[in-house]
Amino acid sequence: MSLPHAILIALLEKPSSGLELTRRFDKSIGYFWSATHQQIYRELGKLEGEGYIRTLPAEQPARGQKKSYEVLPAGRAELARWTAASQDPKPQRDILLLRLRAAAVVGTAGLRADLRRHLELHQRQLAEYEEIERRDFPPDRAAPQDRLRHLVLRAGIDLETFWTQWLSHALKEFAELPAEAPEPTADTSG
């Protein structure tokens, strides 16, 4: 149930129309919790039906005017309850790691090029996060809200740093492998 909570966060930060919300999602929360525009609009309807948000009255009635939403006290209380609740970390599931495991038994054909592609993607994402950090979090921004938002960004920076380092290491390992992985042997290590 995290998408509704992500929407509540964004609306508490700034009441918005659905379109404004989806644009803001693409530039912030979407970095770590993605959702399609259709999912966001669907959740806005559900949140309104549950009494967590409301449509702001229009300044002047107009057909086709975009609706803006704000969080109601019940929505704030739900977000506070969810934030305080204990949650276990999710198990790691990564298709690239699974494909590497498969390469040990079927060969590495095509995988090296994809590792390079992944490295380039992670390098670009890291550069983007570092630019956001330079632009939005100068050393003098020490308000509690800024510090918490910066922690989220630092998680992204640290994860992208991990992936760029790990992929660089994996490519070095690949350079030392024969063209194809050796014939599979029984592996009882799991």
Side-chain angles (χ1 to χ4, degrees):
M1 184 162 147
S2 295
L3 179 56
H5 296 104
I7 292 171
L8 288 172
I9 294 165
L11 289 175
L12 278 169
E13 290 175 343
K14 181 181 176 190
S16 304
S17 69
L19 180 59
E20 293 165 340
L21 184 62
T22 57
R23 287 179 180 156
R24 286 179 44 229
F25 229 83
D26 288 343
K27 295 178 182 174
S28 62
I29 291 174
Y31 284 121
F32 57 89
W33 197 268
S34 63
T36 66
H37 295 189
Q38 293 86 356
Q39 289 171 318
I40 291 171
Y41 279 102
R42 187 170 43 247
E43 287 302 327
L44 284 169
K46 289 178 185 176
L47 288 167
E48 191 170 27
E50 292 169 355
Y52 290 154
I53 65 172
R54 74 175 180 117
T55 305
L56 290 169
E59 292 177 15
Q60 50 186 324
R63 192 177 157 105
Q65 182 177 356
K66 58 185 177 183
K67 293 193 247 179
S68 287
Y69 299 90
E70 71 176 351
V71 177
L72 295 170
R76 181 180 284 276
E78 168 54 23
L79 187 59
R81 181 209 59 77
W82 178 79
T83 301
S86 176
Q87 295 181 357
D88 292 335
K90 297 248 181 221
Q92 176 70 25
R93 292 178 64 179
D94 190 284
I95 193 87
L96 182 61
L97 298 178
L98 189 58
R99 290 173 57 218
L100 278 171
R101 185 71 183 243
V105 293
V106 298
T108 61
L111 201 46
R112 185 180 306 195
D114 206 35
L115 287 172
R116 279 191 213 101
R117 187 180 68 81
H118 276 253
L119 177 59
E120 290 168 8
L121 291 170
H122 285 287
Q123 287 170 330
R124 281 198 302 265
Q125 190 64 63
L126 177 58
E128 187 174 339
Y129 285 164
E130 289 173 337
E131 176 55 32
I132 292 169
E133 183 178 45
R134 280 189 292 280
R135 183 189 69 219
D136 295 348
F137 296 101
D140 60 339
R141 284 188 75 174
Q145 299 89 341
D146 290 330
R147 292 176 70 181
L148 292 172
R149 289 181 185 120
H150 192 201
L151 272 175
V152 174
L153 179 61
R154 280 302 321 171
I157 290 170
D158 292 347
L159 284 169
E160 294 303 329
T161 299
F162 161 78
W163 280 111
T164 57
Q165 291 173 348
W166 182 85
L167 285 159
S168 295
H169 175 76
L171 285 166
K172 286 178 188 172
E173 288 288 327
F174 261 68
E176 296 174 11
L177 292 175
E180 283 292 316
E183 286 295 312
T185 58
D187 179 9
T188 58
S189 64

